[in-house]
Amino acid sequence: MGPIIQVRNLSKRFDDFLAVDHISFSVKRGELFAFLGTNGAGKSTTINMICTILTKTSGDIFVDGFEVAQAGEQIRKKLGIVFQDNVLDNLLTVKENLTSRAAFIGLKGDRLTSRLTAIKTNLALQDIWHRPFGKLSGGQKRKCEIARAIMSSPEILILDEPTTGLDPKTRQSIWQLIRHMQKHQGMTIFLTTHYMEEAASADNVVILEKGSIKAEGTPAELKRTYGKDNLKIRFKDDLLGQQQLAQLAIPLIKKADTYIVKIDENTKSLPILNSISDNLKDFELIKGSMDDVFLAVTDHSGVPK
């Protein structure tokens, strides 16, 4: 079975500005795919071309075998999109919002009733079903926006920074919902986020910078290639510890009474620890993170957005 999204040599030019520079990538059916990049990297432009909102300058985009330039209507039926900003009506209740959105896709009668019931149950919207959207919390609103996006039972759910501004507990509940839809409904999730711990749970990751793909692979592959593990060491005798590390000729960073050694892989920590074991008070090995990967790939001091 081929990829559900296939992008080949895609580019988009606005006058003299090349926003997307001949990129190629694919998204497997049923996977969680993370699309990362700094502001202006070309993420939104690429997504808008996949969604048929923007026309491409050159290259090819296939969604479930359909080419965007020739089958825009078929492709739109396969997509559900959760935008960065909420789009539901603040004055309408949750039920009224979803019912009005269902009319746009032709749901009515028993099919509409069945779909509304399923969404209310699966997304646990019972307690807010008859409340105005504008009176809901941030997390409740995001759940309703996801409900709107999946009214048509899409095969692909595009999430553009879905948990921005939410507290950690609410973000966790939103992600439990997303993972449930991916696992139990076979939905493909296409994600942009600036929370690197969310990207770390993806099946595959593409990092975009200035319109070009700078890195791609699984989170584990990217961490092995671009990340560094941190070995934190504390000594019984600090002065002796400094002399021991100096003899090993290891670059390090000192913070208070802790020495931090960056290593390529965790097995390289063993000879270091063995050589200082008699003077070792304690140590901690911290694995490289997706934050490290992103900063190394983009050479920026900020986080993606």
Side-chain angles (χ1 to χ4, degrees):
M1 185 180 295
I4 194 166
I5 298 176
Q6 181 78 56
V7 174
R8 300 175 183 167
N9 205 28
L10 179 66
S11 66
K12 178 63 179 179
R13 182 178 293 276
F14 297 98
D15 297 325
D16 294 331
F17 175 61
L18 188 58
V20 176
D21 187 6
H22 298 89
I23 65 173
S24 299
F25 65 88
S26 62
V27 180
K28 297 176 184 176
R29 190 180 302 273
E31 78 172 351
L32 171 56
F33 178 88
F35 199 49
L36 309 181
T38 54
N39 285 337
K43 303 190 304 299
S44 295
T45 300
T46 302
I47 289 173
N48 286 339
M49 286 189 284
I50 293 173
C51 297
T52 76
I53 296 172
L54 281 177
T55 58
K56 56 189 172 61
T57 300
S58 62
D60 297 300
I61 305 171
F62 294 90
V63 177
D64 201 18
F66 294 100
E67 210 285 320
V68 294
Q70 301 172 4
E73 183 176 353
Q74 291 95 321
I75 287 172
R76 287 188 289 272
K77 290 179 180 178
K78 296 179 178 292
L79 303 177
I81 307 172
V82 177
F83 303 98
Q84 288 185 40
D85 298 320
N86 297 324
V87 299
L88 292 177
D89 192 308
N90 285 328
L91 299 179
L92 298 180
T93 66
V94 174
K95 179 182 179 181
E96 289 168 342
N97 263 299
L98 297 181
T99 301
S100 63
R101 297 285 166 165
F104 295 147
I105 57 175
L107 278 180
K108 56 185 178 181
D110 291 342
R111 288 180 60 226
L112 171 60
T113 301
S114 176
R115 188 63 184 145
L116 287 174
T117 300
I119 285 179
K120 179 172 65 172
T121 302
N122 293 337
L123 275 65
L125 301 176
Q126 294 92 334
D127 292 343
I128 61 173
W129 195 240
H130 297 290
R131 290 180 58 188
F133 180 75
K135 299 292 186 181
L136 303 180
S137 69
Q140 290 169 334
K141 287 181 177 179
R142 295 316 280 166
K143 286 178 71 174
C144 292
E145 291 290 343
I146 292 173
R148 171 196 55 76
I150 65 172
M151 278 296 296
S152 61
S153 302
E155 296 180 44
I156 304 167
L157 182 61
I158 296 178
L159 302 168
D160 194 359
E161 299 186 13
T163 61
T164 297
L166 301 182
D167 64 82
K169 185 176 180 180
T170 304
R171 283 172 52 205
Q172 184 180 49
S173 69
I174 294 294
W175 269 102
Q176 287 174 345
L177 171 61
I178 292 169
R179 280 297 195 183
H180 183 273
M181 289 189 296
Q182 182 195 11
K183 180 178 179 180
H184 295 283
Q185 300 177 30
M187 194 177 290
T188 303
I189 310 295
F190 190 111
L191 168 76
T192 73
T193 182
H194 65 264
Y195 293 115
M196 289 295 100
E197 66 269 30
E198 294 180 351
S201 68
D203 299 302
N204 279 290
V205 178
V206 161
I207 301 179
L208 206 63
E209 175 71 355
K210 296 181 180 179
S212 298
I213 292 176
K214 297 300 182 183
E216 58 185 313
T218 67
E221 289 169 344
L222 292 174
K223 282 188 239 184
R224 281 197 300 269
T225 302
Y226 299 99
K228 295 284 187 180
D229 293 343
N230 287 328
L231 177 62
K232 292 187 174 183
I233 301 169
R234 293 175 65 216
F235 293 106
K236 298 173 185 176
D237 184 326
D238 193 66
L239 182 59
L240 174 60
Q242 292 182 45
Q243 294 171 349
Q244 290 174 317
L245 291 177
Q247 291 175 354
L248 295 174
I250 299 173
L252 55 88
I253 301 169
K254 187 176 189 297
K255 290 186 177 180
D257 63 342
T258 302
Y259 295 85
I260 303 173
V261 180
K262 291 190 176 295
I263 54 179
D264 295 330
E265 54 185 75
N266 54 24
T267 55
K268 293 185 178 180
S269 65
L270 294 175
I272 298 174
L273 294 172
N274 287 333
S275 67
I276 60 174
S277 60
D278 58 334
N279 189 32
L280 189 62
K281 185 176 183 180
D282 60 48
F283 73 94
E284 181 181 10
L285 181 63
I286 301 176
K287 295 288 293 179
S289 68
M290 284 300 296
D291 289 279
D292 300 325
V293 171
F294 183 84
L295 295 176
V297 170
T298 63
D299 194 28
H300 280 262
S301 59
V303 293
K305 198 168 181 183

